[in-house]
Amino acid sequence: MSTQMYLAYDYPLLSMFWTMLWFFVWIMWFILLFRVVLDIFRDDELGGWGKAGWLVFVIVLPFLGVFVYLIARGRNMGGREVAHARAQQEAFDRYVRDTAGGGGSVDELARLSELRNRGDISEEEFRRAKDLVLGNTGPSAGGGAAAGTGT
């Protein structure tokens, strides 16, 4: 038999672990590189020339550039990422509120229901105010709703 058939047999277990370790280190290096590049663009404190300088430094000398960036500016990377995530969440929440018809009508209906439960407004006044809040133009929607007539 030729030695080519025993290629997998000749590759020791320890060498396989070292190969896997180097493979994962290589993947982690690229993840770190992309996070640094994203942080360069995400940072509002850096001007255009600062961003260009850091980007050229990271691209031309990637190992040195990433390590120097992490030492010089790495302390605030987490804060910038959290601020970016918060801004995305707020934008999503605002989109959901706008798409769902605004949160104001839900709050107004809850306030009207509370007024009705306390007895400050009658059932008829509640129905008219609810129709006004929901934008219904039915026979019960006429007249002024007395939503705030607490005694």
Side-chain angles (χ1 to χ4, degrees):
M1 299 212 156
S2 68
T3 59
Q4 293 171 349
M5 289 179 59
Y6 297 111
L7 181 63
Y9 177 75
D10 290 336
Y11 199 67
L13 186 62
L14 186 60
S15 294
M16 183 181 69
F17 286 137
W18 275 109
T19 303
M20 288 175 61
L21 176 72
W22 282 112
F23 179 73
F24 286 121
V25 166
W26 184 68
I27 295 295
M28 290 304 297
W29 165 251
F30 278 108
I31 290 172
L32 182 63
L33 179 68
F34 289 130
R35 284 187 61 141
V36 165
V37 170
L38 285 174
D39 189 64
I40 289 171
F41 285 112
R42 183 179 291 154
D43 191 5
D44 292 333
E45 296 174 4
L46 279 177
W49 286 108
K51 289 180 183 185
W54 276 113
L55 194 61
V56 166
F57 188 37
V58 166
I59 289 175
V60 171
L61 299 170
F63 289 109
L64 184 63
V66 167
F67 291 133
V68 169
Y69 185 84
L70 288 176
I71 291 169
R73 302 187 50 83
R75 179 173 300 219
N76 297 327
M77 279 179 69
R80 286 188 289 271
E81 188 170 342
V82 167
H84 180 70
R86 263 194 205 123
Q88 282 184 329
Q89 184 66 40
E90 288 172 4
F92 176 74
D93 292 343
R94 190 171 39 251
Y95 169 75
V96 168
R97 277 193 305 270
D98 292 344
T99 304
S105 61
V106 173
D107 294 337
E108 186 69 24
L109 286 174
R111 191 173 64 81
L112 285 171
S113 177
E114 182 182 333
L115 287 172
R116 181 188 60 181
N117 292 340
R118 282 193 319 216
D120 292 341
I121 59 174
S122 68
E123 186 65 35
E124 179 63 30
E125 290 172 327
F126 172 76
R127 199 171 328 115
R128 284 189 304 209
K130 183 177 84 168
D131 287 340
L132 283 175
V133 168
L134 295 177
N136 295 341
T137 56
S140 64
T149 59
T151 54

